[in-house]
Amino acid sequence: MNLLKRTIYLGMFLLSMSCTVQHEENIQRCPKIFIAEDGSYAKIVQHMGAYQITIDGYHSDCINVNAVQDTMAVVQPVFRIRRLETGKKVNVPFEYYIQTAYGTRKERIVATMPEFKKEILYTSQPVKIAIPYKLRYDTAINIGLIVNPRAQIYNNQYFDKNFDPAEEK
């Protein structure tokens, strides 16, 4: 009899759990983050090696400062840094931007790539962005990498088989 009760309780529990599944598409998110198409590139760092830097994701949250005026979006991009050539420990400097309709903020990072590691995930420091409280679910925040022209040329040479060498000049 004890086994029958356990089976009934387990069945009721599983049935109740199946009823509480929510569809994620109906949930509003704050902040609304988009990773730009320029979210990946490769570069030479201090003439010590080649690295590929990619925006891998982000951590984000919204903090309501007060219920009428402001909301603070807190964003922490996560970068995947991959060593393309063997090398020793080196600092990998790069820049990224966070952009809203209200302005653009540029952030500079220097990540350390440990010796003998092929790839690391690097989470940036939290960046706080003020957004209007009433528009907190509708304000888009874009994240992308800032690529200087020399790094872009290298990126095109390294990854683009259709690269035009005349672009270097």
Side-chain angles (χ1 to χ4, degrees), residues 74-129:
V74 181
V75 180
Q76 280 185 281
V78 177
F79 301 94
R80 182 175 303 274
I81 303 172
R82 191 166 47 124
R83 191 186 310 264
L84 300 177
E85 299 171 356
T86 58
K88 295 191 178 224
K89 180 177 175 180
V90 70
N91 291 332
V92 183
F94 62 96
E95 295 179 302
Y96 72 95
Y97 65 86
I98 295 180
Q99 182 180 44
T100 68
Y102 309 106
T104 301
R105 186 163 169 181
K106 296 178 183 177
E107 297 290 326
R108 180 167 170 72
I109 291 178
V110 179
T112 301
M113 189 78 176
E115 191 175 4
F116 304 116
K117 279 276 204 172
K118 176 98 174 135
E119 182 176 282
I120 63 167
L121 286 178
Y122 180 85
T123 303
S124 75
Q125 294 294 319
V127 177
K128 294 181 180 177
I129 304 150

Side-chain angles (χ1 to χ4, degrees), residues 17-127:
M17 290 301 291
S18 67
C19 295
T20 60
V21 174
Q22 295 178 352
H23 296 287
E24 197 167 308
E25 62 208 31
N26 296 331
I27 298 173
Q28 288 186 316
R29 302 260 182 231
C30 178
K32 190 183 286 189
I33 306 275
F34 298 97
I35 296 175
E37 289 184 22
D38 55 357
S40 176
Y41 76 104
K43 67 185 287 186
I44 295 176
V45 177
Q46 300 171 351
H47 306 290
M48 296 179 73
Y51 296 84
Q52 183 179 27
I53 302 165
T54 306
I55 300 174
D56 198 55
Y58 55 87
H59 303 289
S60 65
D61 198 7
C62 280
I63 302 166
N64 294 328
V65 178
N66 62 42
V68 181
Q69 296 290 333
D70 295 317
T71 297
M72 200 60 83
V74 181
V75 180
Q76 280 185 281
V78 177
F79 301 94
R80 182 175 303 274
I81 303 172
R82 191 166 47 124
R83 191 186 310 264
L84 300 177
E85 299 171 356
T86 58
K88 295 191 178 224
K89 180 177 175 180
V90 70
N91 291 332
V92 183
F94 62 96
E95 295 179 302
Y96 72 95
Y97 65 86
I98 295 180
Q99 182 180 44
T100 68
Y102 309 106
T104 301
R105 186 163 169 181
K106 296 178 183 177
E107 297 290 326
R108 180 167 170 72
I109 291 178
V110 179
T112 301
M113 189 78 176
E115 191 175 4
F116 304 116
K117 279 276 204 172
K118 176 98 174 135
E119 182 176 282
I120 63 167
L121 286 178
Y122 180 85
T123 303
S124 75
Q125 294 294 319
V127 177

